[in-house]
Amino acid sequence: MFGLFILLSVASAKVHHFYVGQIYSTAIHALELDDELRTLYEMGIIPTTTASSSLAIDHSGKLLFASSQNDGALAKYDIRSDYSLSNGVKTTIPASCNSTAFSTLHITSSNQAPYSIYGSASTGNCSVVFSTSVLGFKSLRSKEFDGDIRSLAWSPNGRHLHALDSHTSASAATSIFNFNINDDSSLNDLNQTDILANVTNAEQMVTHPTGNLVYVITKDTNELVTIPLQCAGTSVSPSRFKILPASINPSLYTTLSLAISSSKNSLWTLSQSPAQVVVTVFSLDPTTGAVIGAVARAGWTGDGAYSPAHISPAPFVGNDIVAITNSPVGYTAFIGLDQGTTAKGETGDIKVAGDEFLEEGWMLNVKSDAVMAPKLKSFGRIGLAFDSLGEGVWAD
């Protein structure tokens, strides 16, 4: 067994568990959150066989996979009943782009047979998509793409894997590749490519769980972009939404992460400057995924200029909770949506009192007849390390 746990988990429907990796250190942190009592603590620090910039849990919920962008390593651990990890087995992703080190390396799990782990690895100018079987580390690899694949997202039925290519050497345009996934997938046959008109420097994407929309955030313009898929290789005209308010100088901020909550009703974005983090929440139509508008925003002080933060949505319904890792560096925070009261006649953007580490908050686009409106609520924050944390993953 890896690591020594400080406390044991208490079984409760309101208690949830979250793993966080580290980009440069060989350790994974196990956290426990009680979302009813709003209590958070670190169960233990688990020594690992590799650094863990990205994490994924397989379809069974019994195996944790960790990948390292520093050396292309991939490790697999058994998740024990007390949330410790055991039987660490290490391999490397298929040889790619004449390199063993990558600028980004992300992994994700499939919820359809054969339930493999999929990933993307990029040097910034050369990228591949790869997969590994849950048992035995049998690997597949796509061709090398002359571009920067930075993000992966699944279609609602789990049979299409979308890969976001932020640019190629020949064009600054963003593309989304569509891979068919089945028992015979080779990752060498693209189903189609969607080219996003006038979208550059895209950072990350997610798909709506039921609708046919992809959401992309851009680093340079701090925009949320929505795109309908399945356009058979044609240029797609996206819809655009400003993430930051006019009162903020957008040139100081970079939007780096987004996620959709388990309720399907809200989409979260995270923007960073050298001194501050801003989280903005958009309301979604739960059936179609259409963006209705921004409903809440909060900010806090945090050093995040050189170490990107990541949003991980909770898998359970209730409070629309997300975890935010590495904002500021070495910290993990948990935030949810709450309902705040409004004074009669208040409209537009209404500033609300801070909540623990949330120093500033706003209810956005409040209508004159509203008596309540969404606001952001702290569920706790904890310092875990002195260096950069990677992505996190919920165990339950």
Side-chain angles (χ1 to χ4, degrees):
M1 181 173 68
F2 291 85
L4 176 65
F5 269 45
I6 302 169
L7 294 171
L8 294 178
S9 170
V10 178
S12 167
K14 297 295 183 181
V15 172
H16 308 281
H17 300 88
F18 186 74
Y19 293 107
V20 187
Q22 290 189 232
I23 296 178
Y24 304 110
S25 301
T26 53
I28 290 175
H29 303 262
L31 306 181
E32 183 169 276
L33 170 71
D34 187 318
D35 66 319
E36 187 173 71
L37 299 178
R38 295 171 67 188
T39 57
L40 168 68
Y41 67 87
E42 184 174 19
M43 298 173 66
I45 303 173
I46 307 168
T48 56
T49 58
T50 181
S52 307
S53 54
S54 183
L55 301 175
I57 292 178
D58 82 314
H59 176 69
S60 72
K62 297 178 180 179
L63 297 172
L64 174 70
F65 287 78
S67 64
S68 170
Q69 65 192 50
N70 307 319
D71 55 6
L74 188 65
K76 177 177 66 177
Y77 306 93
D78 292 329
I79 301 175
R80 298 166 66 96
S81 59
D82 63 355
Y83 298 94
S84 60
L85 304 176
S86 64
N87 300 327
V89 180
K90 180 180 176 182
T91 186
T92 57
I93 69 170
S96 308
C97 300
N98 295 317
S99 179
T100 57
F102 301 93
S103 58
T104 60
L105 198 163
H106 300 287
I107 55 175
T108 181
S109 60
S110 170
N111 64 0
Q112 298 290 330
Y115 306 114
S116 297
I117 301 297
Y118 291 81
S120 63
S122 173
T123 63
N125 296 304
C126 175
S127 303
V128 296
V129 174
F130 64 90
S131 71
T132 183
S133 60
V134 172
L135 300 176
F137 278 137
K138 179 183 177 182
S139 297
L140 296 173
R141 199 205 77 174
S142 71
K143 69 176 184 179
E144 294 180 355
F145 292 91
D146 182 19
D148 186 13
I149 296 178
R150 305 186 62 83
S151 183
L152 300 174
W154 290 99
S155 64
N157 65 6
R159 288 303 183 187
H160 298 272
L161 180 63
H162 305 296
L164 178 71
D165 185 4
S166 66
H167 69 83
T168 67
S169 61
S171 171
T174 295
S175 300
I176 296 178
F177 303 131
N178 179 8
F179 295 89
N180 280 332
I181 303 299
N182 53 53
D183 291 346
D184 300 321
S185 297
S186 67
L187 293 180
N188 283 317
D189 295 321
L190 277 177
N191 176 261
Q192 65 186 46
T193 301
D194 292 299
I195 302 170
L196 311 187
N198 301 316
V199 176
T200 59
N201 211 6
E203 176 67 14
Q204 189 183 354
M205 72 172 176
V206 295
T207 50
H208 193 265
T210 56
N212 192 37
L213 284 178
V214 166
Y215 310 83
V216 174
I217 49 172
T218 60
K219 292 176 63 174
D220 50 357
T221 60
N222 294 299
E223 288 180 307
L224 170 65
V225 181
T226 64
I227 310 106
L229 284 177
Q230 312 299 333
C231 294
T234 59
S235 181
V236 181
S237 296
S239 299
R240 301 169 184 270
F241 304 86
K242 287 291 184 183
I243 293 174
L244 298 174
S247 59
I248 290 180
N249 182 354
S251 67
L252 300 177
Y253 288 80
T254 302
T255 300
L256 295 172
S257 188
L258 82 165
I260 293 178
S261 68
S262 58
S263 70
K264 309 171 191 172
N265 294 330
S266 63
L267 180 144
W268 299 61
T269 65
L270 182 145
S271 307
Q272 285 181 310
S273 77
Q276 189 183 41
V277 177
V278 175
V279 169
T280 304
V281 181
F282 293 83
S283 176
L284 302 179
D285 182 303
T287 302
T288 67
V291 176
I292 299 171
V295 294
R297 180 178 291 120
W300 63 90
T301 303
D303 177 15
Y306 304 105
S307 300
H310 307 277
I311 304 177
S312 301
F316 52 89
V317 176
N319 295 314
D320 272 8
I321 293 176
V322 302
I324 297 177
T325 58
N326 214 45
S327 182
V329 172
Y331 280 78
T332 294
F334 295 83
I335 307 174
L337 273 182
D338 194 14
Q339 289 294 317
T341 58
T342 62
K344 185 177 180 179
E346 282 188 308
T347 61
D349 297 348
I350 302 173
K351 191 169 184 177
V352 297
D355 183 19
E356 296 184 357
F357 67 91
L358 301 178
E359 298 165 359
E360 298 179 305
W362 293 266
M363 299 183 292
L364 304 178
N365 298 310
V366 177
K367 300 185 183 301
S368 59
D369 58 348
V371 295
M372 301 189 75
K375 68 174 183 178
L376 289 171
K377 173 181 178 180
S378 166
F379 283 79
R381 184 173 71 171
I382 187 170
L384 300 176
F386 293 106
D387 59 353
S388 295
L389 300 177
E391 300 171 4
V393 64
W394 292 85
D396 50 33

